[in-house]
Amino acid sequence: MSVATGLPPLAPDEAAHSARLEARIRDEIARGGGWISFARYMQLALYEPGLGYYSAGARKLGAAGDFITAPEVAPVFSRCVAVQCAEVLRELGGGDILELGAGSGVMAAALLEELARRDCLPQRYRILDVSADLRERQRATLEAAVPQLLDRLEWLDRLPEDFTGIVVANEVLDALPVERFVVRGGVVNALGVTSQLGRLEWSETRAPVALADAVRAIERDTGITWPEGYTSEVALGLADWLAALATSVQRGVLLFVDYGLPRREFYSVERSDGTLLCHFRHRFHDDPFTRLGLQDITAWVDFTAVAEAGQAAGLDVAGYSTQAHFLIGCGLGEFVADVTDLDVVSRVNVSRQAMVLTLPGEMGERFKAIALVKGYDSPLRGFAVRDLRHTL
Ligand SMILES: C[S@@+](CC[C@H](N)C(=O)[O-])C[C@H]1O[C@@H](n2cnc3c(N)ncnc32)[C@H](O)[C@@H]1O
C-alpha cells in the first residue's frame, strides 16, 4: 500500500488539533488492549465530538476544502434531483423532503429553488446531519439563498417518525465507517489499528465472527476466489443504518447517490487493495493515519449490499443506474438546452457542468443512483432511461 507523500504541510494549530485527536484514539486503543477495529477508528477520526473531521471545523467541501461533490460543482445536479423529488411529491399528494448529510447546504438551496419554480414545494425540508459544524454552514447557506422558505426548514437530531416523502443523500453512504479485511492463508483477518513507537498503524488479527461471516457470504455470493493477501472493506453497520431509516419511513422513496459498484465488481480480484480513499486539500491518497481529523476517509459503496439491506428492512429496490443516466432521466438535457435567459458565460458553465456530471471519465459512471421505496409503486423517471438493477 502506498502512503501519502507530498501532502501540503499543516499550520501549527492544525497539527495541534490532529495531535489531540490522535491522543484520544491512542487512549481508546490502550483501553481496548492495544487494538481497535478499523470501523471504530474511522468513527473516531471522522465523528468524534469536537475533534473528528466532520465534527470539528475543517473546511471540508469546496475549492478551499478537501473535496468537491456534485452539488458543489454543478447546481444542475440538484435541479435534476428536484425533478425526481417533484415527481414523488406529486405522486404522494404532498409530503416532506429529508436530506441526510447536507454538507454545505447547496443542494438543499438549489432543490428548494427548483421546486418553488415548479410550484411543488415540500411541506417541510428536513435535514439530518451528524456534523454540528456543517449544520451551521447549512443554515447560513439557506438563510442567504432562500430566506423566503426558512419556515419550511427544520434540522433534526434524530430520524423522524412516520415520515412521508422522499429521503435524499448524496455522498453519505461512502462516509459510513467500514471494516477492513485481508485474506491470509485461507483465513479472514481483520485489519485494525494499533499504536507502535508513537505511530498509529495497521494491525492484523483473526477477524471477529461478524466480519468473517460477512466476508464468507460475499465470497459465496460472488463465487470469486480471492488471492492470498486480498484486501478490501465491508460496511457492517449499513444494515442497521438502513433498517432505522426504513422504520422511519411510512411511505415514500429513499434516493442515494454515491460512488460505488455492484458487489461482483467491487470485490473483483483486480481490486485487490480495496477502495479506501483519503482526501486532503484535493489530493487523494490511501493513508488514513496522517492528517487525523483534517482529512476525509471514505470507501466505495457496495450497491448490492445497499439493495440487500434495504430488502431485509422491508424496502423494495425501485431503480439503480449510473449518475449519468439518472440525471438524463431527470431532464438534464432540457436544463442544458433551456439557456435562453442566460448570458454566454453561464451557458458555457451549464454545458461544462453537464459534462462533468455525465462523462464516463468524470463522475458519470463512477457514481450511481439507487432508489429504495416503501408503499410506493409508481415508476421513477430517473431510472426510465436505463435501469441496471439486474447487475446488482
Ligand atoms: C461527503 S459529505 C457530502 C455532503 C453533501 N451531501 C454533498 O453532496 O455535498 C458527507 C455528509 O454526510 C454527513 N454524514 C456522515 N455520516 C452521516 C450520518 N450517519 N447521518 C447523517 N449525515 C451524515 C456529513 O456530516 C456530511 O455532511
Side-chain angles (χ1 to χ4, degrees):
M1 173 177 293
S2 71
V3 290
T5 50
L7 293 177
L10 298 183
D13 60 326
E14 292 176 319
H17 176 94
S18 218
R20 276 197 299 280
L21 179 54
E22 191 164 332
R24 163 75 188 87
I25 292 175
R26 250 187 242 295
D27 186 45
E28 178 139 342
I29 290 173
R31 280 187 283 116
W35 189 92
I36 57 172
S37 75
F38 187 70
R40 179 63 187 149
Y41 173 78
M42 197 166 156
Q43 178 72 33
L44 293 166
L46 297 182
Y47 305 114
E48 177 65 3
L51 290 172
Y53 177 72
Y54 281 107
S55 315
R59 178 78 211 166
K60 303 180 256 290
L61 298 107
D66 304 299
F67 56 88
I68 294 195
T69 60
E72 296 279 336
V73 81
V76 72
F77 171 88
S78 309
R79 297 179 74 189
C80 289
V81 175
V83 169
Q84 184 59 87
C85 291
E87 182 186 53
V88 172
L89 293 175
R90 287 223 162 88
E91 193 61 38
L92 290 170
D96 295 338
I97 295 179
L98 168 61
E99 183 176 357
L100 304 174
S104 68
V106 288
M107 182 160 105
L111 261 173
L112 283 164
E113 282 167 351
E114 186 61 34
L115 289 170
R117 250 192 302 276
R118 291 171 182 265
D119 197 18
C120 192
L121 282 166
Q123 275 149 20
R124 285 171 295 184
Y125 195 101
R126 310 173 98 181
I127 295 179
L128 178 61
D129 199 307
V130 290
S131 166
D133 170 52
L134 285 175
R135 275 205 297 270
E136 289 316 307
R137 215 171 321 155
Q138 291 151 17
R139 211 180 288 276
T141 301
L142 289 156
E143 275 170 8
V146 286
Q148 72 286 10
L149 298 176
L150 292 183
D151 57 343
R152 289 179 196 255
L153 285 161
E154 194 182 355
W155 277 264
L156 305 178
D157 293 323
R158 65 185 67 83
L159 287 170
E161 282 169 23
D162 295 341
F163 177 85
T164 296
I166 176 162
V167 179
V168 292
N170 185 62
E171 288 204 38
V172 177
L173 292 173
D174 69 73
L176 297 180
V178 290
E179 294 293 0
R180 204 156 149 79
F181 68 87
V182 54
V183 178
R184 200 78 74 193
V187 170
V188 180
N189 281 352
L191 274 173
V193 181
T194 191
S195 174
Q196 287 289 339
L197 304 172
R199 276 185 54 82
L200 295 175
E201 56 183 47
W202 293 108
S203 167
E204 204 172 311
T205 186
R206 189 74 175 249
V209 176
L211 176 59
D213 285 355
V215 173
R216 292 297 180 214
I218 293 167
E219 252 184 325
R220 270 197 309 279
D221 186 37
T222 58
I224 296 173
T225 306
W226 292 312
E228 175 71 7
Y230 184 89
T231 302
S232 194
E233 300 84 33
V234 55
L236 286 187
L238 174 71
D240 285 350
W241 188 78
L242 261 182
L245 265 173
T247 305
S248 154
V249 174
Q250 191 185 51
R251 204 167 146 240
V253 175
L254 297 93
L255 175 67
F256 299 101
V257 182
D258 224 307
Y259 38 91
L261 293 163
R263 179 169 293 152
R264 251 173 245 102
E265 292 174 58
F266 187 108
Y267 294 104
S268 73
V269 169
E270 291 73 37
R271 199 165 279 102
S272 60
D273 200 23
T275 67
L276 200 70
L277 211 54
C278 306
H279 305 244
F280 181 70
R281 299 195 189 141
H282 302 278
R283 312 275 176 97
F284 293 15
H285 66 89
D286 64 0
D287 182 359
F289 306 124
T290 185
R291 307 296 189 266
L292 249 184
L294 303 169
Q295 67 172 6
D296 196 13
I297 305 173
T298 74
W300 282 39
V301 176
D302 168 0
F303 277 101
T304 306
V306 176
E308 284 178 358
Q311 284 163 335
L315 305 170
D316 291 320
V317 184
Y320 169 68
S321 195
T322 65
Q323 171 172 294
H325 288 100
F326 173 76
L327 296 177
I328 292 165
C330 290
L332 179 67
E334 287 128 60
F335 284 120
V336 174
D338 180 20
V339 288
T340 36
D341 293 344
L342 301 182
D343 59 36
V344 176
V345 174
S346 306
R347 286 180 193 198
V348 172
N349 273 341
V350 173
S351 303
R352 194 182 46 81
Q353 288 171 17
M355 286 199 284
V356 170
L357 293 173
T358 55
L359 286 178
E362 300 265 2
M363 302 177 92
E365 290 190 354
R366 204 159 23 104
F367 284 74
K368 312 290 192 306
I370 191 166
L372 306 172
V373 297
K374 188 168 181 183
Y376 188 95
D377 52 17
S378 303
L380 295 166
R381 62 175 288 177
F383 303 93
V385 176
R386 192 165 187 216
D387 194 337
L388 295 171
R389 272 178 292 182
H390 62 280
T391 65
L392 288 172

